Amino acid sequence: MLNVFISRASDDNAVAKEIADVLEDRDKNGNRISNEEVHANVLVMPNVKGDWKKAARKLIKKAHIVLVIQGKKTFEKTDTVKWEIDTAIKYNKCLMLYKIDPKAEDLKWLTRQDKFSSSYRTLCEKYDTIDKIKERIDRFDTGTYNIYTAKLQEKLQKEPEETRKELFQQYQMYQQTSEKLVERRQSVNSFYISVNAALVAFLGAVAGFTEMPGKLIILFAVSIAGIILDISWLKILEAYGILNASKMKVINLIEKELPLILYDSEWKVMSDKLNSRKYVSFTDSEKRIPRIFGTLYLLVSVSSFLMYITYLK
């Protein structure tokens, strides 16, 4: 079930209600139309007298998809819609745009300048009908990715056995890149752990054998360097996590053409074993180590700075 947050101007509430009914398979009275599986849960913004941004932020964080309705009055309601779009971008949510008037100019807040090419790119998926939005959400888990070429479909009809052998060979090659990625990830972790261990040992030596006030200056400088190092480590781990998740997605798509769906089945078995327990990914677990080192460096830097100020007095 996907949580969908609908961002719109108040003038487009009727359109938002129509979209919500279609996504949740309900009629105008709120009754289910059919027994088909529903893939969307539309998050409704409550009536808030105080800080509406706090309530909206909570729903956007919970949402998998933020659907922006562009109507005639959207440009006039810049503050609300723009803030919700910026918040969705901040939390890396999937953005979809539904234009009531397909010929209308795009919302300028849904484009960002590429740092490398300096060109502007759209941050959302555009749809001109509600049915297309529903179809996209129904197929959200598989994505809009098509990894199979027209040539493959032709070969499957003419030479099914040979084609499936080629497909399996390519699958094996791609699977090996995933395994090598794990190896590189472990090497990166080993490198950063070694460097951090050396820095901690150096801090201990400085604290034990260096005289004041040079000791405090060195402790502060090395701690700041350690914090920067661990921030770099965290960013690399996050990048590896995204890359690994992408590879697993592609492997799952390939397996749909193979006899066994191993990785997807493995995930389902693991989910059953976990039951109600929270699953902690490898990336989240790995991030704890640089955070521990970073906290240590922060404590050393703050304490050495305060001691230096006291020493000068």
Side-chain angles (χ1 to χ4, degrees):
M1 184 73 72
L2 299 172
N3 293 323
V4 181
F5 179 84
I6 301 179
S7 176
R8 78 280 185 181
S10 57
D11 302 77
D12 300 320
N13 284 339
V15 179
K17 174 67 166 57
E18 181 184 356
I19 293 174
D21 289 339
V22 172
L23 295 182
E24 295 183 338
D25 194 33
R26 300 184 184 279
D27 58 24
K28 294 182 179 180
N29 298 320
N31 300 315
R32 284 290 305 276
I33 297 174
S34 66
N35 294 324
E36 294 182 3
E37 183 181 1
V38 176
H39 297 90
N41 172 43
V42 178
L43 303 176
V44 180
M45 184 71 177
N47 294 323
V48 180
K49 294 182 180 180
D51 187 2
W52 66 270
K53 288 185 178 180
K54 182 178 179 181
R57 184 184 293 109
K58 184 178 180 181
L59 292 180
I60 292 173
K61 289 175 69 176
K62 186 179 179 182
H64 299 93
I65 298 169
V66 174
L67 174 61
V68 181
I69 298 177
Q70 181 177 336
K72 295 180 180 180
K73 298 290 185 179
T74 305
F75 284 98
E76 299 174 13
K77 308 290 183 179
T78 57
D79 292 340
T80 302
V81 178
K82 182 179 183 302
W83 182 88
E84 290 174 347
I85 291 172
D86 288 341
T87 304
I89 294 171
K90 176 183 176 182
Y91 291 112
N92 198 30
K93 300 299 179 179
C94 175
L95 276 168
M96 295 183 181
L97 175 65
Y98 172 63
K99 299 166 79 171
I100 296 176
D101 180 6
K103 297 180 180 179
E105 184 182 350
D106 288 349
L107 289 170
K108 61 182 179 180
W109 317 305
L110 287 172
T111 60
R112 288 291 185 275
Q113 188 174 22
D114 189 274
K115 295 180 180 179
F116 299 99
S117 64
S118 297
S119 60
Y120 285 85
R121 60 186 180 89
T122 304
L123 298 176
C124 65
E125 303 172 10
K126 299 178 185 178
Y127 298 91
D128 53 9
T129 67
I130 299 175
D131 289 336
K132 288 182 180 179
I133 295 172
K134 185 178 186 306
E135 181 182 356
R136 170 68 175 102
I137 291 175
D138 289 344
R139 299 177 58 191
F140 190 82
D141 288 339
T142 57
T144 56
Y145 321 105
N146 183 14
I147 64 173
Y148 303 108
T149 63
K151 183 180 179 181
L152 173 67
Q153 301 302 329
E154 293 176 6
K155 291 186 70 176
L156 278 172
Q157 293 179 354
K158 296 178 181 179
E159 303 173 336
E161 291 187 10
E162 282 297 320
T163 305
R164 290 192 180 278
K165 286 181 180 178
E166 291 179 13
L167 180 63
F168 183 67
Q169 288 174 354
Q170 193 170 359
Y171 168 74
Q172 285 182 310
M173 291 172 60
Y174 190 78
Q175 191 181 34
Q176 288 173 4
T177 65
S178 178
E179 294 172 356
K180 289 179 179 178
L181 179 68
V182 174
E183 293 176 3
R184 293 204 306 269
R185 187 169 173 168
Q186 291 174 342
S187 298
V188 167
N189 285 334
S190 298
F191 168 76
Y192 277 100
I193 289 174
S194 299
V195 174
N196 275 282
L199 283 179
V200 171
F202 179 72
L203 289 173
V206 170
F209 301 103
T210 310
E211 299 295 328
M212 299 279 280
K215 175 197 305 187
L216 301 177
I217 296 174
I218 295 173
L219 288 175
F220 179 79
V222 174
S223 297
I224 295 300
I227 291 172
I228 296 172
L229 180 75
D230 288 335
I231 291 173
S232 171
W233 189 5
L234 282 169
K235 288 185 178 295
I236 290 175
L237 287 177
E238 186 175 348
Y240 271 121
I242 294 172
L243 183 57
N244 189 62
S246 302
K247 285 185 176 292
M248 288 298 104
K249 183 74 172 179
V250 174
I251 287 173
N252 287 336
L253 291 172
I254 297 173
E255 285 185 342
K256 292 184 183 301
E257 292 294 329
L258 297 175
L260 298 176
I261 308 177
L262 300 175
Y263 280 94
D264 192 47
S265 300
E266 181 182 62
W267 174 257
K268 289 178 180 178
V269 171
M270 186 177 68
S271 299
D272 291 338
K273 293 289 184 182
L274 287 170
N275 290 325
S276 59
R277 287 178 291 172
K278 183 179 179 181
Y279 169 69
V280 180
S281 67
F282 287 128
T283 301
D284 290 336
S285 299
E286 288 173 330
K287 283 182 177 180
R288 291 174 181 171
I289 303 174
R291 284 171 180 158
I292 291 172
F293 278 116
T295 303
L296 174 63
Y297 294 136
L298 181 63
L299 291 173
V300 173
S301 62
V302 172
S303 59
S304 59
F305 177 77
L306 294 176
M307 290 174 67
Y308 184 74
I309 295 299
T310 306
Y311 180 83
L312 292 179
K313 292 179 180 180

